[in-house]
Amino acid sequence: MSLYEKIVSRQEKIALVGLGYVGMPIAVAFAKKVDVIGFDLNKAKVECYKNGTDPTKEVGDAAIKESTVEFTSDESRLDAAKFFIVAVPTPVNSDHTPDLTPVEGASEIVGRHLSAGSIVVFESTVYPGVTEDICVPILERESGLVCGKDFKIGYSPERINPGDKVHRLETITKIVSGMDEETLDNVAKVYELVVDAGVHRAESIKVAEAAKVIENSQRDINIAFMNELSIIFNNMGIDTKAVLEAAGTKWNFLKFSPGLVGGHCIGVDPYYLTYKAEQMGYHSQIILSGRRINDDMGKYVAESLVKNLIKANKYVKGARVAMLGFTFKENCPDTRNTRIIDIVKELKEYGITPLIADPVADADEAKREYGIEFTNINSIKDMDAVIVAVAHDEFTKLTEKEISAMFTAEGQKVLLDIKGLLNRKEYENAGYLYWRL
């Protein structure tokens, strides 16, 4: 009997290691079909899940309460599992080199609880070779077992898009891979239990690793192109959004938009690929050029605000500025690797400390990670400038009257609409000094 058959008949369990924005939804999805152990080192997070609370907002409190996942921070419970899925973050260091500490730590934990016949599948985004060259030796060292003989490995890159209620685990084709055909078949069948869109069987683990890392690199490069166009067109006095709407009428025009590229995928993953390329003697040109443009956009936005304050005859130092939104993307509480912080830091260089309102963001995380404390949006008054930074639903519903109430009555209102949410003509006709990417 295969491991897949044992899992379906509930003779064996699946363990999810890492219960964040990716791991937790996977655990909840599998628990509808099989027995699942959900493990995370963060005891506070685990207690939230046990109490039926979803701090990520990915599946909702009701789904957590109804789920049969055994949420735990007790490492010994992993002894009961045979099929392990590792879904931990893979960030970068300050010098943009890969920080494999989380995936190495997870490998150590899993290794301590491996038994003969186990399969370990990694979902974390890495450069080609990490699973086999870095994770396997750790698993073997900690378990005393031999990969390929006592246990097998696979790789199935995560494609969950935090905050996206349309493109979910179930609706996105899942790439799967295994170290041999038998492992690949088991991994594919296990994921087919929950992925309605089906799976794509990659020919090797390295192919699957490479496929994932280029998905986000491609998007990063395309956004960088849009950001460069925005800089050029703003210098020309042309509205970038209007240009893109016109160009978008052509059937094969790729519809990307300018913006800040944050989060723990698009703004990070390209560095994994370029790091590996550098190790092999090739210096990336296109990928790193795109990264430089996107990494500098926060500075560009801050400089544009300062220029517009000067145009409006307002003092720059000590200017009262409000920022609406702090998360890395709309309708998602995650503030990790948000590039809004780049705007905040740059404005402080000009003597401006903005008030920040974000009703969606994880306030505790923002305080812990960045020292940021949020302001209630209803208390924002007498501003010289307002930056609409994130396209939360709450902000898209704001009327001109509500935005106007945030400003001081003196002088021209300076409004930066980073995401292009508002009607430019409406605000310009109302006398605003309006700017957007």
Side-chain angles (χ1 to χ4, degrees):
M1 186 181 288
S2 69
L3 180 52
Y4 161 74
E5 291 170 325
K6 291 179 180 178
I7 290 170
V8 171
S9 61
R10 299 184 188 271
Q11 295 176 50
E12 298 291 357
K13 302 178 190 289
I14 292 177
L16 258 295
V17 178
L19 297 174
Y21 287 80
V22 172
M24 185 274 291
I26 296 172
V28 170
F30 271 118
K32 295 174 183 177
K33 303 291 180 69
V34 298
D35 293 337
V36 177
I37 298 168
F39 171 81
D40 199 287
L41 289 171
N42 188 325
K43 293 181 180 179
K45 183 191 297 181
V46 169
E47 286 305 310
C48 278
Y49 294 144
K50 284 183 175 180
N51 293 329
T53 302
D54 176 15
T56 71
K57 305 293 191 294
E58 285 299 300
V59 301
D61 294 351
I64 293 291
K65 289 175 184 175
E66 296 168 4
S67 179
T68 59
V69 176
E70 179 191 340
F71 293 112
T72 183
S73 55
D74 179 2
E75 184 184 318
S76 68
R77 289 298 301 133
L78 296 176
D79 287 334
K82 209 76 168 183
F83 191 100
F84 297 84
I85 298 175
V86 178
V88 296
T90 42
V92 291
N93 297 305
S94 58
D95 62 355
H96 296 150
T97 57
D99 178 7
L100 294 174
T101 305
V103 77
E104 289 172 339
S107 297
E108 290 175 352
I109 291 171
V110 171
R112 290 195 287 268
H113 302 281
L114 280 182
S115 56
S118 294
I119 293 177
V120 184
V121 179
F122 291 86
E123 289 220 1
S124 307
T125 303
V126 293
Y127 57 79
V130 168
T131 301
E132 294 159 296
D133 301 338
I134 293 178
C135 297
V136 166
I138 295 174
L139 292 171
E140 290 184 325
R141 183 190 72 216
E142 295 296 324
S143 66
L145 302 175
V146 178
C147 183
K149 175 187 173 185
D150 302 314
F151 70 91
K152 303 291 183 71
I153 58 163
Y155 181 79
S156 181
E158 56 89 4
R159 279 176 161 176
I160 288 177
N161 186 23
D164 190 334
K165 303 306 179 186
V166 177
H167 301 98
R168 311 299 300 153
L169 171 68
E170 298 82 0
T171 62
I172 306 170
T173 300
K174 196 85 165 72
I175 295 174
V176 295
S177 64
M179 66 183 300
D180 53 37
E181 285 300 320
E182 180 186 10
T183 307
L184 174 59
D185 195 55
N186 272 285
V187 173
K189 287 179 177 177
V190 167
Y191 277 105
E192 283 172 342
L193 289 171
V194 294
V195 181
D196 298 332
V199 303
H200 172 81
R201 299 187 179 208
E203 65 178 47
S204 71
I205 288 174
K206 284 186 174 68
V207 165
E209 290 170 324
K212 170 56 182 178
V213 81
I214 71 164
E215 288 173 14
N216 286 332
S217 296
Q218 181 190 66
R219 185 166 178 80
D220 190 45
I221 291 166
N222 277 293
I223 296 173
F225 177 47
M226 296 298 112
N227 281 333
E228 188 167 60
L229 291 179
S230 177
I231 294 169
I232 293 169
F233 291 144
N234 271 315
N235 286 337
M236 292 180 175
I238 301 173
D239 183 47
T240 307
K241 186 175 182 180
V243 174
L244 295 178
E245 286 174 351
T249 59
K250 188 164 186 255
W251 76 91
N252 61 352
F253 185 81
L254 301 179
K255 295 184 179 181
F256 287 88
S257 300
L260 303 177
V261 183
H264 37 88
C265 290
I266 299 176
V268 172
D269 296 352
Y271 287 123
Y272 273 72
L273 185 57
T274 58
Y275 171 81
K276 185 61 176 180
E278 289 278 2
Q279 284 189 323
M280 305 190 73
Y282 179 79
H283 179 72
S284 164
Q285 299 177 66
I286 293 176
I287 299 172
L288 286 179
S289 292
R291 277 281 78 232
R292 281 192 294 273
I293 291 171
N294 288 340
D295 279 345
D296 286 344
M297 289 309 289
K299 184 175 186 290
Y300 174 66
V301 170
E303 290 173 348
S304 298
L305 174 68
V306 169
K307 290 176 182 178
N308 280 287
L309 284 171
I310 293 170
K311 284 182 186 177
N313 294 315
K314 293 179 180 288
Y315 289 108
V316 172
K317 185 177 181 179
R320 289 180 56 80
V321 176
M323 185 104 66
L324 305 186
F326 188 73
T327 61
F328 86 90
K329 69 177 295 184
E330 65 273 9
N331 304 318
C332 176
D334 197 353
T335 66
R336 291 174 299 168
N337 199 36
T338 175
R339 297 324 330 147
I340 305 297
I341 193 65
D342 296 343
I343 303 174
V344 175
K345 289 178 179 177
E346 193 66 24
L347 288 179
K348 286 184 177 179
E349 293 291 318
Y350 289 97
I352 300 172
T353 301
L355 296 177
I356 304 173
D358 195 321
V360 177
D362 184 331
D364 292 336
E365 183 179 73
K367 174 66 175 177
R368 182 175 63 254
E369 296 291 330
Y370 307 100
I372 297 291
E373 292 189 11
F374 296 134
T375 298
N376 189 302
I377 191 170
N378 296 321
S379 67
I380 295 177
K381 308 288 182 185
D382 300 322
M383 295 293 116
D384 296 306
V386 172
I387 304 173
V388 183
V390 184
H392 292 322
D393 288 344
E394 287 89 336
F395 300 152
T396 62
K397 297 172 184 176
L398 289 172
T399 64
E400 188 278 324
K401 183 178 180 180
E402 289 171 324
I403 290 178
S404 178
M406 300 178 188
F407 285 90
T408 177
E410 300 175 0
Q412 192 173 18
K413 300 178 179 70
V414 176
L415 178 63
L416 268 63
D417 180 14
I418 295 176
K419 300 292 289 185
L421 302 181
L422 310 174
N423 185 312
R424 181 180 196 127
K425 290 183 179 179
E426 177 187 358
Y427 285 86
E428 287 181 339
N429 290 340
Y432 289 76
L433 189 52
Y434 177 96
W435 181 93
R436 66 184 175 203
L437 285 175

